[in-house]
Amino acid sequence: MRIISLICVFCMACGGGDSDSPTTDGSDQDVIQEDTGPTHKSTGARAYIIDSDDDIGQGDYVNARIGDFLIANDHVRFVVRGGKHNFYMQGMQGGGIVDVGPAEDDLIQEIMPLGGFSSLGDSTVTVTKDGEDGSAEITVTATMISIPLIEAFAGDFGAEGTMTVKYRLSDSDTALEVGISTDSLDTVMGGVVMFAGGPLTLSSFDGYMISEGPNISYGFVSETPLNITTLGNVNLALGQEITGDEEWRYWLTVGNGSMSSVLDQILSIRQDPAGTVSGTVDDATAVIGAYNADGELVSRFRPNSNGEFSGKLPVGIITLVAEGKGRETGVSVEVDVIENSDTTDLQLSANKPATLEVTTDMPMRIEMTTTTGGRIVQPISAGTSTIPVTPGQWSITAMRGFEYEIDTLDITLEAGQNESWAPKLERVLDTTGWIASDFHLHSEWSTDSNVPLRDRILACAAEGVEYAVATDHDVVTDYRPFVLESLKGRIVVASGVETSTAKWGHINNWPHTVNPDLPGRGSPVWFGLDFPETMNAVGAGSPGHVVQINHPRRGSSALLDNILFDPEDPDLEQLKMFTFNAIEIYNGGDTEAMELALVDWLTMLKHKLPIAATGVSDSHSIGSYCGHPRTYVQVDDDDPATAKGPDVDNAVLAGRTLATSGPFLTLVKGDNGSVQIKVSGPSWMPVETIQLYEDGVAGTPIDVAAYDGNVVRFDNAVSLENPDAAFVVAVARASASAAPMLRAKVRAVSPALWLKKE
């Protein structure tokens, strides 16, 4: 009414009562509206549906959308997924938590409530208390369904009924209270599963768990002890059995990145006997570890800029020690923590780390080892990078994949010593016309990896990989926002997915576009599909779309093992279903599986199936090097500054792929029934034999001479044993190790060279 009144007053002031004034439809007139202020509360406890980007924020792990639900106060902030789809794991609906903490610090992918092996089916999310009375609440009511992923692999263990989840927060709370109840006739176990980003480090304790990140930390605690299981970036916490009208409650606490900031809240919620300790450390960049009488970690403090620390600890004898990356453990201080007491003025001393300052003009991998088993693997970008190092004797190697010579340094570093090094790497292989690619990579968006996205891309560039395809398990990942500025022009990235089926093995497929409104960000859904339906779901046959069968001879996750494919006597009906267009010949360092997959691929070629052979790293960590093995793809534009992903993909579809864990191997048609084979490798790379396969039949291995100062190890015409062969493939091998330069034993498989047009 006040807005209408203001408009009327405005019209009157403009002469609206003058009968001689012209009349209009109002389209040319200014309309004054009252400023009613914020649509929602901006302080204190509050809950509402997000209707503005201002409530979403910016951050690497922000998953909120307009239409999701915010519950927050002046201390903490949480976003609950709305709509008919959950976010991360496929097959469930809205009602889980997708953001926790300030948007710029958030590291949560999704937190889903559990009732035994059941979670959220058809769900309704509502604001049941908006916070006007100082208390906010969001209620989720959902049909309980068996978690599709668990059902696909292990059968239906889900309970029937309705699950109710209540998220509660008052004005003064620093933790979100979550209550789970069901009307199921079955007794179910209340629980929660958290999918989180790679920077989080998880520790589990006596019935609770804490995750530490760079600027934020999380804790899960219940009134009863939690049974905690961790795999990669998946954290599962099971609580107590729920029967009848009972409600199981847990609290999600948020801290400043330190374990101690979360433990303070956990001890208060559990009302555990605790005391407070405080003190200073002489190096504010150290952390303070707190250990119980059994040597188990209890807490970690992060001092402020003045070296001061304080916080709660459980009662008992606690040992405090200054520690940190590259530091030898400092002198310990023992404290007898007494309930409700304060132990103050503790003084700790931290040992200084040694540091290695590396300056380079290109990305590279620095690998450092000691005689006592110490190992550091550090990808670095161009410029100067500082690596903290524990004092001692170190053997250091700088390297950049298969096309470069290496540089080495042996050094003894003392505490506090800073040593500079500028390694020089010479590119010695000519791979013009080919782009180095890795089509199987995992990051923090896979349930079994915790590599942050920026680190994943840097690790690939450091190995000389020029085209990297994201293939996380059942989640579409977009690398593009995470390419460091210093890497632009050095690497091309694409979004893909590893569709990880229970029956048909694992299948990489790309390119994809991230769709944040669908589970798995638009990943293909495979539950309950037969093989042709699965091929259709992953896009087999779509123009420009690569569908790659992964590790085809690796047990339960291998298609060819699962369907009992016999390359010596292939089932023609099976071959008709092979609508994929690529197959991993060499995955990681598994040479036994590689030799089996090679025979499978040759059989497919004999039956004229247009399938490319690839080499992939399947890297899940920084230590399992990206691009080891890799696929060189023959393209018109091999410059990563200008190359286009779709052009590389189409070259894969055309079969122009070299799968290799080291040597650069080419094969071309020669004269008079021969082929020309050329094998190159840096001085450190072993190459021992070359073998031709004519129409899939193995020929006699040919010895390759040791490195004699020429990177071209073999460049000769080889006569074919079968002049009528339709196609030929060359394979290079070596049994010698080349660690740390190579992750895998040397194998290189050329593209199929078709000698006859038909």
Side-chain angles (χ1 to χ4, degrees):
M1 290 296 295
R2 293 181 64 188
I3 295 176
I4 295 174
S5 299
L6 285 170
I7 294 174
C8 291
V9 169
F10 178 77
C11 291
M12 290 175 63
C14 292
D18 189 343
S19 60
D20 293 331
S21 299
T23 60
T24 72
D25 61 5
S27 60
D28 295 326
Q29 298 185 29
D30 293 328
V31 178
I32 297 177
Q33 294 187 348
E34 180 184 22
D35 181 5
T36 59
T39 306
H40 313 291
K41 283 182 63 179
S42 59
T43 61
R46 52 201 183 272
Y48 53 84
I49 299 174
I50 294 174
D51 56 12
S52 167
D53 289 340
D54 293 339
D55 288 324
I56 294 175
Q58 298 290 323
D60 289 352
Y61 300 87
V62 169
N63 302 314
R65 316 157 302 166
I66 289 176
D68 289 341
F69 290 72
L70 178 74
I71 182 167
N73 61 18
D74 297 343
H75 310 290
V76 288
R77 170 185 176 275
F78 307 86
V79 175
V80 176
R81 187 73 158 180
K84 66 177 184 177
H85 295 297
N86 71 311
F87 173 70
Y88 187 79
M89 185 182 289
Q90 295 177 336
M92 293 170 286
Q93 294 208 6
I97 298 170
V98 293
D99 290 334
V100 179
E104 63 272 17
D105 298 328
D106 172 38
L107 293 175
I108 295 299
Q109 293 164 344
E110 189 165 34
I111 301 172
M112 292 294 290
L114 300 176
F117 291 100
S118 297
S119 192
L120 305 175
D122 291 336
S123 63
T124 301
V125 185
T126 56
V127 174
T128 43
K129 292 184 180 181
D130 62 7
E132 288 297 334
D133 64 352
S135 179
E137 182 182 78
I138 293 173
T139 299
V140 182
T141 304
T143 302
M144 297 173 68
I145 61 168
S146 178
I147 297 173
L149 184 66
I150 294 177
E151 182 176 338
F153 281 92
D156 185 356
F157 294 97
E160 295 183 352
T162 300
M163 177 188 296
T164 300
V165 183
K166 291 184 177 290
Y167 300 106
R168 306 181 181 109
L169 193 67
S170 68
D171 285 343
S172 59
D173 286 342
T174 57
L176 180 71
E177 178 186 319
V178 183
I180 300 175
S181 60
T182 79
D183 64 1
S184 175
L185 298 178
D186 301 316
T187 298
V188 299
M189 183 77 71
V192 60
V193 60
M194 177 179 78
F195 305 95
L200 278 180
T201 300
L202 181 125
S203 302
S204 59
F205 301 92
D206 180 20
Y208 58 90
M209 64 180 180
I210 297 176
S211 297
E212 300 171 276
N215 301 305
I216 198 167
S217 44
Y218 304 113
F220 286 85
V221 60
S222 179
E223 297 160 306
T224 56
L226 296 174
N227 185 3
I228 298 164
T229 302
T230 300
L231 173 64
N233 66 350
V234 182
N235 306 302
L236 173 66
L238 296 178
Q240 69 183 34
E241 292 183 342
I242 308 172
T243 57
D245 295 330
E246 292 179 338
E247 180 184 70
W248 175 68
R249 296 188 301 169
Y250 78 88
W251 284 261
L252 173 54
T253 65
V254 185
N256 62 11
S258 69
M259 185 181 292
S260 61
S261 64
V262 171
L263 182 61
D264 287 353
Q265 302 174 60
I266 288 174
L267 293 174
S268 296
I269 291 170
R270 285 172 39 126
Q271 298 183 341
D272 286 354
T276 301
V277 300
S278 62
T280 59
V281 61
D282 59 5
D283 184 345
T285 62
V287 296
I288 309 300
Y291 298 85
N292 63 18
D294 295 325
E296 298 168 331
L297 179 68
V298 174
S299 186
R300 254 191 299 262
F301 300 91
R302 293 187 185 179
N304 63 20
S305 59
N306 296 320
E308 300 165 339
F309 66 93
S310 66
K312 292 182 180 180
L313 289 172
V315 298
I317 302 299
I318 301 292
T319 299
L320 300 178
V321 62
E323 54 194 17
K325 193 172 183 180
R327 299 176 189 270
E328 293 180 322
T329 302
V331 177
S332 62
V333 174
E334 189 175 280
V335 180
D336 185 4
V337 180
I338 300 173
E339 186 173 2
N340 298 325
S341 69
D342 295 334
T343 303
T344 61
D345 298 326
L346 297 171
Q347 303 294 317
L348 280 86
S349 180
N351 288 317
K352 299 288 185 182
T355 54
L356 179 68
E357 202 170 77
V358 183
T359 301
T360 175
D361 60 355
M362 68 181 75
M364 62 179 63
R365 168 167 48 103
I366 304 297
E367 184 139 350
M368 310 176 63
T369 57
T370 67
T371 55
T372 57
R375 181 183 182 224
I376 296 173
V377 179
Q378 184 67 60
I380 62 172
S381 190
T384 299
S385 302
T386 301
I387 305 172
V389 180
T390 304
Q393 293 182 332
W394 290 91
S395 294
I396 309 171
T397 306
M399 62 210 95
R400 191 167 192 258
F402 306 163
E403 302 170 32
Y404 291 78
E405 294 293 353
I406 64 172
D407 201 354
T408 61
L409 175 68
D410 290 319
I411 192 171
T412 299
L413 294 169
E414 305 292 339
Q417 179 182 350
N418 179 49
E419 188 70 25
S420 298
W421 186 37
K424 302 298 182 185
L425 305 185
E426 180 187 3
R427 186 174 186 174
V428 293
L429 292 195
D430 181 7
T431 59
T432 301
W434 299 76
I435 191 165
S437 309
D438 197 339
F439 302 137
H440 196 158
L441 294 164
H442 292 277
S443 75
E444 57 195 327
W445 285 98
S446 282
T447 53
D448 54 357
S449 175
N450 56 12
V451 180
L453 290 178
R454 289 182 182 83
D455 293 349
R456 166 50 67 215
I457 300 164
L458 173 58
C460 287
E463 297 294 343
V465 170
E466 298 159 317
Y467 182 44
V469 179
T471 56
D472 289 310
H473 292 292
D474 293 315
V475 176
V476 178
T477 302
D478 187 0
Y479 282 168
R480 290 174 302 172
F482 302 94
V483 178
L484 298 173
E485 195 65 33
S486 61
L487 300 181
K488 291 180 178 177
R490 294 183 181 271
I491 190 167
V492 182
V493 297
S495 296
V497 65
E498 182 171 20
T499 302
S500 304
T501 77
K503 189 173 183 180
W504 311 117
H506 292 189
I507 307 162
N508 279 359
N509 45 107
W510 74 90
H512 281 283
T513 300
V514 170
N515 185 342
D517 292 328
L518 294 177
R521 305 206 289 187
S523 174
V525 178
W526 52 266
F527 305 122
L529 302 184
D530 62 21
F531 185 70
E533 291 170 336
T534 301
M535 286 290 98
N536 183 62
V538 299
S542 299
H545 199 72
V546 182
V547 176
Q548 171 183 279
I549 297 301
N550 295 348
H551 34 74
R553 291 295 184 181
R554 191 184 289 173
S556 61
S557 63
L559 170 68
L560 300 187
D561 281 341
N562 287 350
I563 66 173
L564 304 178
F565 179 71
D566 182 0
E568 302 301 326
D569 184 20
D571 184 330
L572 296 182
E573 293 303 313
Q574 286 183 339
L575 291 173
K576 289 178 183 178
M577 294 193 301
F578 288 178
T579 55
F580 50 87
N581 44 44
I583 186 170
E584 291 180 353
I585 292 297
Y586 201 6
N587 176 295
D590 192 340
T591 54
E592 181 179 351
M594 174 267 168
E595 298 294 347
L596 294 173
L598 173 63
V599 175
D600 292 325
W601 177 58
L602 293 172
T603 297
M604 296 172 192
L605 294 180
K606 284 192 290 185
H607 287 82
K608 306 298 190 294
L609 295 180
I611 295 172
T614 61
V616 301
S617 69
D618 196 0
S619 175
H620 286 68
S621 67
I622 296 299
S624 56
Y625 316 136
C626 173
H628 290 240
R630 68 189 59 184
T631 304
Y632 281 96
V633 183
Q634 191 174 27
V635 290
D636 293 331
D637 184 0
D638 67 346
D639 183 352
T642 54
K644 302 293 189 294
D647 293 338
V648 183
D649 299 339
N650 283 320
V652 173
L653 299 181
R656 300 198 296 268
T657 58
L658 161 64
T660 180
S661 62
F664 187 68
L665 167 64
T666 59
L667 176 68
V668 296
K669 188 175 182 180
D671 298 325
N672 302 318
S674 70
V675 292
Q676 187 75 21
I677 305 174
K678 184 177 180 180
V679 182
S680 305
S683 62
W684 50 265
M685 184 179 293
V687 184
E688 297 168 1
T689 64
I690 297 170
Q691 190 171 21
L692 281 179
Y693 291 77
E694 302 173 27
D695 284 350
V697 178
T700 303
I702 304 168
D703 291 335
V704 177
Y707 176 77
D708 61 358
N710 188 348
V711 296
V712 178
R713 311 296 185 82
F714 188 94
D715 189 6
N716 295 311
V718 177
S719 297
L720 297 177
E721 297 178 8
N722 176 11
D724 295 323
F727 71 92
V728 62
V729 170
V731 179
R733 295 181 177 89
S735 58
S737 171
M741 288 75 73
L742 297 182
R743 170 190 175 198
K745 292 291 182 68
V746 164
R747 298 290 188 274
V749 181
S750 75
L753 175 62
W754 291 92
L755 304 173
K756 297 183 179 180
K757 291 183 179 180
E758 64 271 16

